[in-house]
Amino acid sequence: MKNGLPDAIDVVEAKTSKIDAVDFENLVFGNVFTDHMMICDYVNGEWQNPVIKPYGPIELEPSAKVFHYGQAIFEGMKAFKDDQDQVWLFRPEDNFNRFNKSSVRLAIPEFPKEFFFEGLETLLNLDRDWIKKGFGNSLYIRPFVIATESGVSASPSKSYKFMIICSPAKAYYSGEVRVVFAEKFSRAADGGVGYAKAAGNYGAQFYPTNLAKEEGYQQIVWTDANTHEYLEEAGTMNIFFRVGDKLLTAPTSDRILDGVTRKSVITLAEEHGIPVEVRRVKVQEIVEAAEKGELKEIFGAGTAATINPVKGFGHQGKKFELPELEDSYATFFKKELMNIQYNKSEDKYGWRYLVKN
Amino acid sequence: MKNGLPDAIDVVEAKTSKIDAVDFENLVFGNVFTDHMMICDYVNGEWQNPVIKPYGPIELEPSAKVFHYGQAIFEGMKAFKDDQDQVWLFRPEDNFNRFNKSSVRLAIPEFPKEFFFEGLETLLNLDRDWIKKGFGNSLYIRPFVIATESGVSASPSKSYKFMIICSPAKAYYSGEVRVVFAEKFSRAADGGVGYAKAAGNYGAQFYPTNLAKEEGYQQIVWTDANTHEYLEEAGTMNIFFRVGDKLLTAPTSDRILDGVTRKSVITLAEEHGIPVEVRRVKVQEIVEAAEKGELKEIFGAGTAATINPVKGFGHQGKKFELPELEDSYATFFKKELMNIQYNKSEDKYGWRYLVKN
Ligand SMILES: Cc1ncc(COP(=O)(O)O)c(C=O)c1O
Ligand SMILES: Cc1ncc(COP(=O)(O)O)c(C=O)c1O
């Protein structure tokens, strides 16, 4: 042991690889997992003995608290391979910090930074072949923690399991995305857990999203629960509106996730002289801008999709289509971000993180 | 098969019972489980082949959606044994209906009523010895559903696992309970999942409850997320206030669970001529009543605790103690409810449900 770290993470290598059975040209997002996973258990008040071993099922008591009380949080990150076969992460410290911020809100013990990075990098090197070169190819990385203590009383678990699993990805969304602005349902309360990547935030959106799908929308843009007058974020993306040449996005709050992609877009906009206003965005103002032809774009920003252009939106039963643009901001930011992520452009802000081989 | 029911639920009996190792006088709530459990899987669009088998661990993919998206709901019910060794449930249809109401909100397929009751009664008969006679003894029953599909994309699972596990219980709370009225954190949003027994609702309360405990309160009484001006419910109990001889409790809403104990208390109050007002209850009115000495009682109502008297409360840093009463409503309702539950009094409302042997 040095600095509370075991000399090396315990590694049990898979005897055979599943990689040859995978069709990397036709990946469905989040469906296929690499050969290995990282596991670390919290027992007796400590995170102990992280191990990397072959990806496979885990065993839990049916009374494990995660099943009953949703005491679970996660992160979503990506690894990219450049033309020289180097593997890069994008602002991983931000994901790590948010991981522990989410943990605190869910009364889960914070995870040690050394374990996180040491484990993640060892895992990525083991499963390096799963990361394919070429724009759009990436490895989606899912660190998460679940409450494992057996017991059906509603109180924090005394034991937890931290894991990292990885899934090769092409693009998150297929097809065109239209969104509806929430009028009845809501995602998060003031003083709630909306800013955390708490498992329960996501399952709670499935039913309203199913209803939206029946109306022809793939996603919901959530509004504030109190008044439904302000636009906040989508299910797994922050949301930007382009009115004229100005970019608008909601400020983060205890209801809204502080997205890594969102803040990168804001920085890039500032760098490139695109006026960006981070302030509460009224539903009414966006509807009026659409009616006047001033609403040029809506796009989502998130790790899974990077930048996801929105084709149209619905509000109070009315449907609005957005114009096709030659010089779309969405395309611009996506390209800028990917150039940085795939080591094709200068890394002015120190966002790239090399996974040492 | 008849009426979509298998002729009998498949039963695999435990070879040995763990019951002799259990100290029934010193049970910790929700810690020990009986010999058997019920399992039913949802696959290919159908709930199939319910089985009862020895209680034990289950195996899941680390990518199972329950771990990542909290798509999980549960119920809490109790079985009671009377002096003639008959086993009773209390308003189980209400729990069953709420189970499916929660499922709908979490985009989980509804569970068939026949499977639920047939499975539950078979299970209770197998584990009958675990239900002890005597006031206060009961078997806590935990039906739940978890999303089991493998996949880290935020969309409803295609497969689920329904289970019932059972835990012998004495009383839920030990020691005195003081509560604090929420001022900053909140439990549920308008348009959210507060009215459902969604797993994520509970984990989200652990952190604020830990903070409350540091100030000397065991529980939080949640207020409306918008203004924190109205008292709603506690973490696992609905809340009643007695001002003078009048009983006050909040109406149910999409933020508040429609508790079986709560509505039973309201019915009993009406029967016994206790004036009860179901309406929004202002924090300010309760604080003022306490200051004038008119606040006689606060108590929680829920399956686990039945009726849980509250000794005092805190608000904006001020602490209030409640008087010791000779003729407390809490004691009265607890006795009335238990007399019905343990088959000691007439069952005017058809609340008792005999588990046929
Ligand atoms: C609710 C929510 N909002 C926004 C985002 C986008 O955040 P990021 O850019 O860090 O991936 C995500 C996904 O991570 C999310 O789950
Ligand atoms: C949030 C919440 N409120 C109230 C209750 C009380 O409901 P019931 O009386 O049906 O047990 C419970 C427990 O079931 C609960 O979880």
Side-chain angles (χ1 to χ4, degrees), chain B residues 11-273:
Chain B
V11 175
V12 182
E13 277 197 53
K15 294 223 173 63
T16 52
S17 174
K18 300 171 294 188
I19 198 167
D20 289 339
V22 176
D23 177 0
F24 281 87
E25 288 309 305
N26 294 293
L27 293 166
V28 175
F29 187 88
N31 240 13
V32 167
F33 296 88
T34 62
D35 290 325
H36 298 90
M37 62 184 184
M38 176 182 172
I39 303 192
C40 185
D41 285 313
Y42 184 88
V43 205
N44 301 326
E46 260 187 310
W47 289 107
Q48 13 207 328
N49 304 337
V51 298
I52 288 170
K53 57 183 205 175
Y55 178 91
I58 54 172
E59 211 180 67
L60 286 176
E61 292 284 311
S63 49
K65 296 214 178 194
V66 61
F67 296 138
H68 303 270
Y69 306 123
Q71 200 188 5
I73 62 102
F74 68 96
E75 265 303 324
M77 348 174 24
K78 275 182 175 174
F80 308 92
K81 197 175 256 177
D82 71 14
D83 295 336
Q84 291 78 47
D85 281 327
Q86 297 183 105
V87 172
W88 301 91
L89 296 168
F90 185 71
R91 311 186 76 173
E93 302 232 348
D94 291 338
N95 293 97
F96 172 75
N97 291 334
R98 195 170 61 187
F99 193 81
N100 276 342
K101 202 168 150 190
S102 298
S103 287
V104 168
R105 183 61 182 84
L106 272 284
I108 295 170
E110 291 175 72
F111 196 72
K113 188 166 180 178
E114 301 74 26
F115 281 13
F116 189 91
F117 280 94
E118 180 89 5
L120 177 55
E121 294 185 57
T122 308
L123 181 60
L124 291 177
N125 277 318
L126 268 174
D127 287 341
R128 233 181 144 83
D129 291 344
W130 291 80
I131 315 171
K132 297 300 178 192
K133 274 189 277 203
F135 254 39
N137 296 323
S138 67
L139 188 72
Y140 182 76
I141 300 163
R142 172 59 60 90
F144 65 105
V145 183
I146 55 174
T148 53
E149 194 195 351
S150 165
V152 293
S153 66
S155 59
S157 182
K158 294 198 179 71
S159 59
Y160 298 88
K161 197 180 277 298
F162 168 93
M163 300 187 77
I164 305 180
I165 57 178
C166 300
S167 174
K170 280 194 93 74
Y172 194 70
Y173 295 105
S174 47
E176 302 188 334
V177 173
R178 285 178 178 77
V179 299
V180 63
F181 297 166
E183 286 161 40
K184 179 179 163 210
F185 291 104
S186 53
R187 180 187 171 276
D190 287 313
V193 299
Y195 70 94
K197 283 186 79 87
N201 286 340
Y202 297 82
Q205 298 179 56
F206 293 167
Y207 173 69
T209 305
N210 280 349
L211 297 181
K213 282 188 178 150
E214 285 170 16
E215 312 266 295
Y217 305 104
Q218 287 70 44
Q219 300 256 322
I220 295 171
V221 177
W222 296 104
T223 50
D224 68 298
N226 299 1
T227 66
H228 298 294
E229 282 180 23
Y230 294 93
L231 294 156
E232 306 217 307
E233 63 170 327
T236 59
M237 308 187 294
N238 297 104
I239 285 281
F240 287 85
F241 303 89
R242 176 181 174 183
V243 177
D245 286 330
K246 208 166 59 187
L247 211 48
L248 306 176
T249 195
T252 57
S253 71
D254 62 359
R255 296 182 310 274
I256 301 183
L257 196 85
D258 185 4
V260 176
T261 318
R262 171 187 174 280
K263 64 184 176 190
S264 304
V265 165
I266 294 171
T267 302
L268 291 174
E270 284 163 355
E271 176 187 336
H272 292 279

